[in-house]
Amino acid sequence: MPTPTVPLPAVAETWISRSKYLRWLDALAAWLVGLGAILGFFPEAPGGTAAVVALVLVAAGSALQPLRIRWRPVSGWVGVVVSKSLRPGARAWFVRDGRADAVLITARHGLRMSIAPPGFGEAETMRVRRTRVFLVPLG
């Protein structure tokens, strides 16, 4: 018989679902920027055509992982605001890819934080940018 799993606290579940919506808002922001750029360069282009071209550009851009990782105008800002109160020694939820892990904050350097996630060795930490992940205070 498999061991029962412990459900995540409500705050972690909430941020897992919010992260999906925030990434959609990032895509909407990319589409708006693309639409504005197309209409700026080609003012005579019909609005519907420009909207479709911008949508195609966003879809193509989403296939490029380096661009997808770095383009986070909405979720990046929210990630910085949410993790603002975290200091070394604090515990937090590390929310990513539809899951959340409890971590220990070991250092903070501007937009970067060092965290000790479960499964890492005693002296091993992982450096993450607060603009690319969600570090939510535990509790």
Side-chain angles (χ1 to χ4, degrees):
M1 174 163 73
T3 58
T5 58
V6 178
L8 288 173
V11 68
E13 290 288 343
T14 300
W15 279 100
I16 288 171
S17 65
R18 282 182 187 167
S19 67
K20 295 172 188 171
Y21 294 119
L22 290 170
R23 292 301 289 144
W24 278 103
L25 288 175
D26 289 339
L28 177 64
W31 179 76
L32 289 173
V33 167
L35 181 62
I38 291 168
L39 291 175
F41 285 119
F42 306 105
E44 69 282 344
T49 304
V52 170
V53 170
L55 184 64
V56 169
L57 289 176
V58 169
S62 70
L64 302 172
Q65 186 176 6
L67 181 61
R68 192 175 68 235
I69 288 173
R70 286 177 180 83
W71 177 262
R72 298 196 176 188
V74 177
S75 62
W77 179 79
V78 171
V80 170
V81 170
V82 168
S83 63
K84 184 178 179 181
S85 66
L86 294 174
R87 302 283 180 251
R91 303 216 15 108
W93 288 107
F94 179 37
V95 178
R96 68 192 190 293
D97 300 332
R99 65 181 199 168
D101 297 315
V103 297
L104 175 68
I105 307 298
T106 57
R108 178 179 171 160
H109 305 284
L111 292 178
R112 294 187 183 272
M113 284 196 173
S114 293
I115 60 174
F120 271 47
E122 188 175 295
E124 294 180 18
T125 61
M126 186 165 95
R127 289 182 56 97
V128 295
R129 287 184 62 93
R130 294 188 296 152
T131 57
R132 296 191 186 152
V133 298
F134 290 108
L135 291 169
V136 182
L138 193 83

